[in-house]
Amino acid sequence: MLSYKSLLVFNKRLVFILLTLTASFNGECTVNVDKSRVIFSSGELTANISLHNSHKEPILVQLWTDAGDPLTTPDKVKTPVLVNPPVLKMQPNEVRNIRLLLVSTEDLPQNKESIFWLNILQIPPNTNQVSKEKNKLILPLRIRLKVFVRPKSVGDITSDDFDKILFSKVNSNTVIIKNPTKWYITIPSLRIADIKSKPIWLGPFSHISLHVKNEINEKESVTFDVIDDVGAIHRRVSVIN
């Protein structure tokens, strides 16, 4: 049987296996998290999340942050966000509080928010055992949460800031979507006329080009959703200029 110790350092080979197999096999997500994102707001140096082991057996959990590369291993990672504790064993139905510490902000921009990622790797005791259920394989599973760091000069985003997203026509089949704000904007759904786009993620002061098959008219209506700090969805309507 594969031991906890042999899996403790998350390696690139295991990442590749997980990404390859999750499309073919069902997994069991046993550790639930009370937040969909973590925010260090207006100069805060600590943040907390709660984990709940809903499995009927003990489970080992490893936590670390990365700067955006999902293949970065915990022993190679370099971010200003530390996790305490980084490794813990959870009993069935146990709830544990985890603290994230922002240890340095010197190298972070002060005019916009920065983003990191929190990795939560759950290792069940029967990791390498094939379930009796057909086509089901028990694997270590990983959750990744966004971690936002906001300097005091940036503050928190408000619903009014969602209205600042701009849409500009470049040609009959291309629209530029601009985010002039200091925050990362997640748009899970966007529709121009009868054309529905894939989810869009915009960094602060950034823009992307959206190409569509049908011809776009000026003053065309745009309906889009935005996700706020607590994971709620806000619907907005704009026009293409």
Side-chain angles (χ1 to χ4, degrees):
M1 184 173 181
L2 199 61
S3 68
Y4 284 157
K5 187 175 181 180
S6 64
L7 279 170
L8 193 55
V9 176
F10 198 75
N11 56 66
K12 291 187 177 181
R13 183 180 178 185
L14 180 56
V15 173
F16 175 78
I17 293 173
L18 288 176
L19 294 177
T20 303
L21 290 180
T22 48
S24 304
F25 295 90
N26 294 322
E28 290 185 355
C29 185
T30 61
V31 174
N32 301 310
V33 190
D34 68 335
K35 297 179 181 178
S36 60
R37 63 206 63 216
V38 179
I39 299 173
F40 289 91
S41 182
S42 298
E44 293 176 342
L45 299 179
T46 62
N48 298 287
I49 63 170
S50 293
L51 304 181
H52 173 224
N53 177 19
S54 59
H55 201 264
K56 296 181 180 180
E57 300 180 52
I59 193 168
L60 192 70
V61 180
Q62 183 178 14
L63 304 100
W64 72 98
T65 59
D66 67 68
D69 182 1
L71 298 183
T72 303
T73 57
D75 57 321
K76 302 293 184 181
V77 70
K78 292 182 179 180
T79 80
V81 182
L82 302 182
V83 186
N84 184 32
V87 179
L88 65 153
K89 184 177 182 180
M90 298 185 66
Q91 298 300 324
N93 206 37
E94 182 180 7
V95 176
R96 293 285 296 272
N97 292 321
I98 305 298
R99 173 166 289 190
L100 280 72
L101 307 172
L102 182 59
V103 296
S104 175
T105 61
E106 293 180 358
D107 297 329
L108 300 181
Q110 298 302 304
N111 65 333
K112 63 180 181 178
E113 72 176 355
S114 300
I115 186 170
F116 300 95
W117 296 82
L118 172 64
N119 300 272
I120 304 172
L121 175 67
Q122 44 191 295
I123 309 169
N126 54 350
T127 297
N128 67 331
Q129 294 182 3
V130 178
S131 170
K132 294 181 181 179
E133 184 179 337
K134 189 177 180 181
N135 294 330
K136 190 173 185 181
L137 183 65
I138 305 299
L139 287 170
L141 294 178
R142 180 172 62 157
I143 302 170
R144 296 184 84 226
L145 302 183
K146 296 173 184 175
V147 179
F148 298 103
V149 178
R150 295 173 179 166
K152 291 182 179 180
S153 59
V154 172
D156 291 331
I157 192 169
T158 68
S159 59
D160 291 339
D161 293 308
F162 302 149
D163 295 320
K164 298 177 182 178
I165 303 301
L166 302 174
F167 300 87
S168 303
K169 179 180 176 180
V170 177
N171 55 49
S172 60
N173 298 103
T174 306
V175 173
I176 296 293
I177 306 175
K178 297 181 180 180
N179 173 19
T181 77
K182 307 172 185 179
W183 303 274
Y184 284 87
I185 302 290
T186 300
I187 301 176
S189 176
L190 182 147
R191 184 180 293 274
I192 301 174
D194 295 328
I195 306 165
K196 187 175 182 179
S197 167
K198 294 180 180 179
I200 295 170
W201 194 45
L202 291 166
F205 312 124
S206 70
H207 68 273
I208 65 167
S209 296
L210 177 64
H211 303 280
V212 297
K213 295 181 180 179
N214 299 345
E215 183 174 346
I216 301 171
N217 300 315
E218 288 189 5
K219 303 302 180 181
E220 190 81 68
S221 176
V222 180
T223 302
F224 62 102
D225 295 332
V226 183
I227 300 178
D228 67 12
D229 284 350
V230 297
I233 293 178
H234 299 255
R235 175 148 294 184
R236 290 291 186 269
V237 177
S238 184
V239 295
I240 297 175
N241 295 315

